[in-house]
Amino acid sequence: MSRIGALGAKLYRGDSSYDFVARRKLWYGISLLMIVISLTGLGAKGLFMGVEFQGGAVYTTPKTEMTVEQARSTAQAASGNDARVQQLGSGGLRITVTGLDTETSNETRAALAKELGIPTQQLDSDLVGPSWGEQMTSKALTGMVIFLVLVSVYLAIAFEWRMALAALVALIHDLVITVGVYAIVGFEVTPGTVVGVLTILGYSLYDTVVVFDKVKEKTGTLGKQSRHTYGELANLGLNATLIRSVNTSVVALLPVAGLLFIGAGLLGGGMLKDIALSLFVGLAAGTYSSIMIATPVVVDLKTRESTVKAHDKRVLTKRAKTLTKVGSEEDGSVDLHEEDDDADEDAEPQDAAPAGAGVVAPRRQGGTPGGRGRSRSGKRR
C-alpha cells in the first residue's frame, strides 16, 4: 500500500487525524481575506460582460499581420465603445465590441476591413441585439436561483437545515471568489463562463454532501457515548473523507489546468479560457470550502443546541476529572473522595433485602450440620 493509501486508511479508521474543526477561526480568516480581495477587485474593475449579455458585435479576421493594439484602436475609434481583442490560434483576431446597433456595427466592420486591406465581405461579423443579451442574463440568474433553492430543500430533507445552510455558505463562498478572480484577471464573461460556474457549484455541492454524509454517520452516535464532543466526532467524519476529497480534486484539476494553461494560454484557444478559468478557480475553492468551511459552520450551528451543549459539557467535565486524577496519581496524592464518586457512578445498584427478612448469622468454622465437630486435637467430640 502506498503512503497516501496508508494515511487514508488511518484517517478513515480514526487512528490519525488533523483537527480542522478546532482551527476553524484560522480557516474563516483565510476565507474572509480571499472574499475581501475578490470583492475589492469586483468593485474596482467590474466584470466585462460579453456581447451575449449586453449586445454588440463580434468580428473575426482571417490570418493577418495586424497587431492586437492596432485592431483595438481601430475598433474603438470607429464604434466609440470599448473593444476586446483576442489572438486566435489560426493567426486571426477576434474583436468584440459591446453596445452596438446595426448601423454602428456596419461602420465598424468597414473600418476594420479597410485597416486590414481586405474586402468587407471577408470580415466575418456576428451582431447580437441587446434584448437577446438581457434574456440571456435573466435566464442565467433565474437558473442559478432555482439551483440554490432546490439544493437547499434537498439538503434540508436528506440531512438537516443546519447542513443545508452550511452548504449554501460554502457555495456562496466559491461563487464570490470565482467572480472576483474573473474581475481581477479581466476575462470576458460568456455563456461558457456561466456553464463553468454552474459546474463548479455542482461539484462543490457534491464534495460537501459526501463529507456531510460521513459527518452524519459519526455524530449519529453522540448520545451513545461520552468520550467525544460533537465537534470531535464531526472532525473524525471530515478526516475519514479527506484523502478521497483531495484525490478527486487533483484528478479533476489536471485536465482543467491543461485547458487553461496549454489550450488557452499557449495555443490561443480563445473561448476555452472562459470556461477553463471558472472551472479551475471554482474546483480549487470548492475543495477548500467543503473541508475548511462547510463542516466547521455545521459545528458552530449545532453547538448552539441545548442537548449538544449539555453533552459536550459532560464530556469535558469528565475529561477534566480524569486528567486531575492521573495528575494526582503521578504526584502520589490520590483524591479518595473523587475515586469514591467515580466508583459510585460506575457501580450497579444492589437489590435491597425484602422486608421482614431475618439476619443470617455466620456459620461457625469447622461446624457440621449435626452440631458435631472436631476438637483442636482432632478427636471427635
Side-chain angles (χ1 to χ4, degrees), residues 183-243:
I184 294 172
V185 175
F187 279 13
E188 180 182 359
V189 178
T190 66
T193 306
V194 177
V195 172
V197 169
L198 292 177
T199 302
I200 61 103
L201 290 181
Y203 177 86
S204 176
L205 176 66
Y206 162 76
D207 206 16
T208 302
V209 167
V210 171
V211 174
F212 280 175
D213 185 65
K214 182 57 67 173
V215 169
K216 181 181 179 181
E217 177 185 333
K218 292 291 186 180
T219 57
T221 61
L222 182 68
K224 302 177 183 178
Q225 55 82 42
S226 59
R227 294 180 56 192
H228 301 289
T229 63
Y230 182 90
E232 292 168 348
L233 292 176
N235 189 70
L236 290 175
L238 177 58
N239 277 269
T241 59
L242 178 62
I243 296 298

Side-chain angles (χ1 to χ4, degrees), residues 82 112 218 292 345:
D82 188 24
L112 288 171
K218 292 291 186 180
M292 310 296 190
E345 291 179 359

Side-chain angles (χ1 to χ4, degrees), residues 15 22 242 294 328:
D15 298 337
L242 178 62
S328 299

